[in-house]
Structure formats: C-alpha cells, structure tokens
Amino acid sequence: VGQAQASDVVKWLCTSPPNETHRKATSACFLTNQLKITSRKISIPRLYNISQQNSRQSHALAMANEFKLSATLRGHEEDVSLSCDFPIPRFLEYHPSSMGFTAD
Amino acid sequence: VRAVAFPSKQTILSASRDSTVRQWSLTSPQPPSYDDTISVQASDWFNALAFAQPSEKHPNGLIAAGGKETIVYVKEPGTTSDSDPYRILPRHAHTISCLAFSEDGSKLISGGWDSQVFVWDVEAGDVIAELTGHTMTVWGILIYDHKFVFTACADKNIRMFDINGKLLRTIEGHTDVPRCFCKIPQGHWSGAAFASAGNDEIIRLWSLDGAPMGELHGHEAYIYSIAILPNGDIVSSGEDRTVRVFRDGQCIQTITHPAISIWSVATCPETGDIVSGASDKTIRVFSRDPERHADAEVGLACSTVETSNANIMHRPSNLLTRASGCMPFQPRRPAKTCPSRKKTCLVLVSQSSPGEMLCLCR
C-alpha cells in the first residue's frame, strides 16, 4: 500500500461494492497519507455508481484507466513526393513540363 | 502513416505514403516491441487499408490496401513484398481513398477520388456491384452488415446502399465533408447504430435509418478516423494532433501527439489498446493496462495525456519540449492559414518557386 499510486487507489475503490468502499477508502487514506488522499476528496457512492456520475466522478474514473503510451513503431520512411492529399481541381493541375501551374 | 489496423494483440498493420504496407508483429510483450515486415511495396503512396477476419478459406485473414496507383492489393498476412498478391483489383480511375471488408471477408468495397465505389467479390476478383450517385471523392465506407453499406462523400452527404448497389437513403447533417465511420454495437450508451465524422470536427451518432442520435464535440480540426473500443468508448483522431476518447457523451481523455496529422486510429478487439498512425512516420500504441505501458520517460517524451470530464480544449504541455529523440513540441499552429476560412488548409508548393504556396482548400 505504501507504494500505491493515487490512480491505483481510485481503481481499487471503483471496483468495490458500495458497502465496502467507505471502509476501504478510510483505510486507503490512513495507509497512503503521503498521497494526501482524504475521504472528502473521494466521494464513495458517486465513484461506484456510474449511472449517477458527476464531473468529479467522471474525472476519477478516467484517471483510473487512462491510456498511456505502450509502444512506438518506427520504420516508415519520409514521403518526399509532391503529392497532394486530396483531388486537385482540374484547372489547378500541375504540369511538370512547364514547372508551374497552368489553367485548363 | 495514412492507415492502421489492429486485428489482434500480436499484429498491427500500417499503410503509408512511403508506398509500403507493413505488418508489425509483437516480439516482446513487456515492454511491448514490434518487428515489421513489408507486405506490399508499391510505386506510389497508400491511402487505405482493410483487414478481413480469419475465415475457413483464409485462416490468417486478408489484407487489402490501395492508394495512388489506383489498384487494390489483396495480400495474405505473413507474406512479404516479394510474394505475389493474392489478388490485384484494377478498376478505379483515380486514387483509392477507402476500403472495407465484409464481415465474412468475401466482399471488399473500395472508394476513390474518381467518385466511384465498387463492390468486389474477393475470390473471383470481379466487381459485382457499383454504388453510384457520388459526385465527389468518396472518403469513407462502412459495411454495416451483410445488407447495408454507408458511404461518406465530399459532397457532404452520407449515403446508405444495399450491398447490391441500390441507394436506400441519403443522410444529410454534416456541415462539411464526412470522412470516416465506425459501427456502434447494440446496447451502446448512445443508442446509435453508427457514427460518422469529418471536416466539421464533430462526431455524429446516427440510428440505422439515418436519424441523428447525438454529437460528440472536442476536436478542433478535421477528424480523419474513428473507432470503437470493446467497452463502447469511441476513439477519434484528427488534424489537431490528438486522439480523443469519448464515453457517455463526453471526452474523457485527449492524447496529444508530437505530429500535426493523426491520420488513422484503430482499436484492438482483444486488448482494448489503441494504435495511431501519424504524419511523423510514426505508429504509436496506447494501452490502459499498466503491464503494457512503456516506461515513464518514453511516455513523457512521445505524448502528453490529458484527462477531463468535459470537452477538452487543446492545452500544450511543456513536457514535450524536454523530450530527447522526439520532435520538439510546438503549440498547434497552422502551417498556412487560409484567409478565407481562417483554419488550417493544405497547400501545394511550386517546384519552380519554392516560396510560393497555393491554397487548395475547398
């Protein structure tokens, strides 16, 4: 418990049934006082009941299971072509021979 | 990286403007690392990618990819670029912009800049139907089930067809070009059947008969891609550097990338992880499972994660400027601002006059 992160505590509370959460929250606050979590900051019924969530609850839930970077995949190369990402209007088509844009 | 797919926890697929389609295989689960194999090496860039789930005929599934070459490559996973494609499907007259497989993998639908949409019989390699009526580029396709198909067209309309090509309905509502879809499962909090998004920066939720069911706000620029997580959260990516996660009508997380365009996002049905493909040549995987998180330094260096209970406005983080080995972060700033629309637009650069740029916003 001493090494728990705030998000771990919130996740633990979120997965507990309502009649258990207040007791657990009190224990968590006592054991992880270095995280400065107080029972006032963790509102147990609102944390558990998703259908009655309010802004604080939603925030806590999101914090408990947020996405974090898992892997970075590099290997694709730079695109150096003069390509456009959408169809070019015909009157703006690029004419390499004239090295410029010409009107159709 | 223009398109990504995440068919299983072992495999990620990507298609890029470097003219390759790559298969990334998980080599180590903790920390996750992947090795890539070039599945297709073309002569011009790729735009679109689709994966067919494994079937009796194709136990490893099938990969389809298309782009500026105007042909669709169909390959079996695990093969390299040296091997012949399973099928080559030529019919489009211009760049292919979107692809989708039917659930059983027997049909493939392609759409392109030529305003055409073809339904292919994958085994025969033939066009068996055309979805007609589009007057501009077709950016997105959703095969909803064995009967219904939706298309997203640059004429700002969503069209609903039956799989044989009969137009059933035109759905209006987007105020700008729709680009992408995702199917919404039954019992979802939104009550919707599918979602669409695009240049108007709003994710719109629709019933199967085209009635609007809701809107998800938060993006600040074009939305390029949307996907759904196994738990019903909706994930989106766009031109505002972000991947966003929506739940119960609210944006619950914003993941800001050190790249301008996040072209594509996909979700893994097995793990609920997210993969993004961005304009900085990089693919990123995000997970909610602490066992699959990268170490803290890598996490800080390559993305910043914002969590909120409300629709989030972009908030640059100085964390990214501390990163080593990553692009220095700059607050979102259009490369060029179109005076007429006061938003990011794409430009062409003249080879003869490199300083001259031509705005091509529509």
Side-chain angles (χ1 to χ4, degrees):
Chain A
V1 173
Q3 295 176 357
Q5 302 295 310
S7 59
D8 296 331
V9 176
V10 174
K11 184 187 291 185
W12 179 45
L13 294 172
C14 289
T15 56
S16 303
N19 59 355
E20 284 286 307
T21 46
H22 187 268
R23 184 179 61 77
K24 281 190 174 182
T26 306
S27 303
C29 295
F30 176 74
L31 293 168
T32 62
N33 57 356
Q34 73 274 25
L35 296 174
K36 301 189 185 313
I37 297 173
T38 71
S39 58
R40 290 181 62 189
K41 286 186 178 176
I42 303 177
S43 181
I44 307 309
R46 284 181 293 180
L47 270 172
Y48 184 78
N49 189 347
I50 294 176
S51 66
Q52 295 176 9
Q53 67 179 292
N54 60 15
S55 58
R56 180 182 297 180
Q57 174 200 8
S58 178
H59 182 73
L61 283 170
M63 287 292 289
N65 58 79
E66 68 182 14
F67 282 98
K68 292 182 179 175
L69 186 70
S70 173
T72 305
L73 284 54
R74 292 190 175 91
H76 280 294
E77 296 169 8
E78 193 80 47
D79 169 42
V80 294
S81 66
L82 191 66
S83 298
C84 188
D85 285 317
F86 54 85
I88 304 169
R90 192 151 180 248
F91 70 92
L92 288 175
E93 279 182 0
Y94 183 67
H95 293 256
S97 58
S98 61
M99 296 301 284
F101 298 97
T102 59
D104 184 355
Chain B
V1 180
R2 293 300 305 269
V4 289
F6 207 162
S8 74
K9 62 183 177 184
Q10 302 290 336
T11 305
I12 291 170
L13 303 168
S14 61
S16 164
R17 285 183 59 151
D18 71 359
S19 310
T20 66
V21 175
R22 295 175 194 241
Q23 179 174 339
W24 304 78
S25 301
L26 186 70
T27 55
S28 165
Q30 289 181 340
S33 62
Y34 295 80
D35 274 351
D36 67 311
T37 304
I38 296 180
S39 300
V40 184
Q41 174 74 64
S43 61
D44 220 322
W45 42 282
F46 281 104
N47 259 347
L49 178 69
F51 179 77
Q53 292 300 322
S55 61
E56 196 172 321
K57 174 82 176 172
H58 302 287
N60 296 319
L62 281 175
I63 302 167
K68 203 175 177 188
E69 282 192 348
T70 73
I71 59 176
V72 180
Y73 291 89
V74 180
K75 290 272 296 194
E76 289 178 316
T79 59
T80 64
S81 58
D82 297 334
S83 63
D84 290 337
Y86 182 71
R87 292 283 182 273
I88 290 181
L89 310 176
R91 184 72 179 262
H92 280 279
H94 214 324
T95 301
I96 293 164
S97 48
C98 49
L99 292 165
F101 272 108
S102 61
E103 199 168 306
D104 64 2
S106 65
K107 295 184 182 68
L108 174 70
I109 302 186
S110 60
W113 290 10
D114 55 5
S115 311
Q116 299 191 90
V117 179
F118 299 120
V119 182
W120 303 85
D121 179 315
V122 175
E123 294 309 317
D126 294 331
V127 171
I128 54 174
E130 291 186 44
L131 311 186
T132 59
H134 305 93
T135 57
M136 300 176 78
T137 294
V138 178
W139 287 116
I141 294 168
L142 170 67
I143 303 182
Y144 185 81
D145 57 18
H146 65 284
K147 287 190 289 188
F148 301 127
V149 179
F150 294 90
T151 61
C153 181
D155 64 11
K156 302 182 184 177
N157 290 319
I158 294 170
R159 291 177 174 82
M160 181 182 186
F161 295 87
D162 73 16
I163 195 78
N164 298 314
K166 181 183 178 186
L167 177 64
L168 301 175
R169 185 174 286 114
T170 298
I171 302 169
E172 297 176 355
H174 276 284
T175 57
D176 208 334
V177 176
R179 287 176 175 269
C180 51
F181 293 108
C182 73
K183 184 178 177 178
I184 306 290
Q186 285 190 339
H188 190 257
W189 52 264
S190 68
F194 70 98
S196 64
N199 291 8
D200 61 8
E201 306 167 11
I202 298 169
I203 300 170
R204 298 178 190 272
L205 302 161
W206 306 93
S207 67
L208 193 56
D209 59 4
M213 303 290 287
E215 298 177 359
L216 302 175
H217 294 254
H219 278 283
E220 299 176 273
Y222 296 172
I223 300 170
Y224 292 134
S225 181
I226 52 177
I228 191 146
L229 286 163
N231 71 349
D233 291 354
I234 294 172
V235 186
S236 58
S237 70
E239 185 69 11
D240 59 0
R241 298 177 180 272
T242 68
V243 165
R244 295 175 193 253
V245 184
F246 293 87
R247 181 187 297 169
D248 294 333
Q250 295 181 323
C251 179
I252 60 167
Q253 190 176 0
T254 300
I255 305 171
T256 304
H257 289 53
I260 293 173
S261 307
I262 317 304
W263 285 113
S264 182
V265 67
T267 56
C268 178
E270 293 176 9
T271 61
D273 289 354
I274 296 171
V275 63
S276 68
S279 55
D280 63 351
K281 308 175 289 180
T282 305
I283 297 159
R284 294 175 177 84
V285 183
F286 299 92
S287 179
R288 281 174 165 154
D289 186 343
E291 292 189 354
R292 292 196 296 280
H293 289 169
D295 65 62
E297 285 186 15
V298 174
L300 281 178
C302 293
S303 72
T304 179
V305 179
E306 297 170 355
T307 305
S308 171
N309 61 323
N311 294 339
I312 296 171
M313 300 302 288
H314 179 77
R315 185 155 43 89
S317 166
N318 290 332
L319 287 174
L320 290 163
T321 61
R322 298 205 309 255
S324 60
C326 287
M327 289 174 56
F329 180 83
Q330 293 179 338
R332 178 173 173 263
R333 184 178 60 211
K336 279 283 172 184
T337 299
C338 169
S340 61
R341 299 191 43 189
K342 300 187 187 307
K343 67 191 304 183
T344 304
C345 64
L346 298 170
V347 296
L348 274 184
V349 183
S350 167
Q351 280 185 331
S352 57
S353 308
E356 181 186 340
M357 292 191 172
L358 181 64
C359 170
L360 287 176
C361 73
R362 292 160 298 151

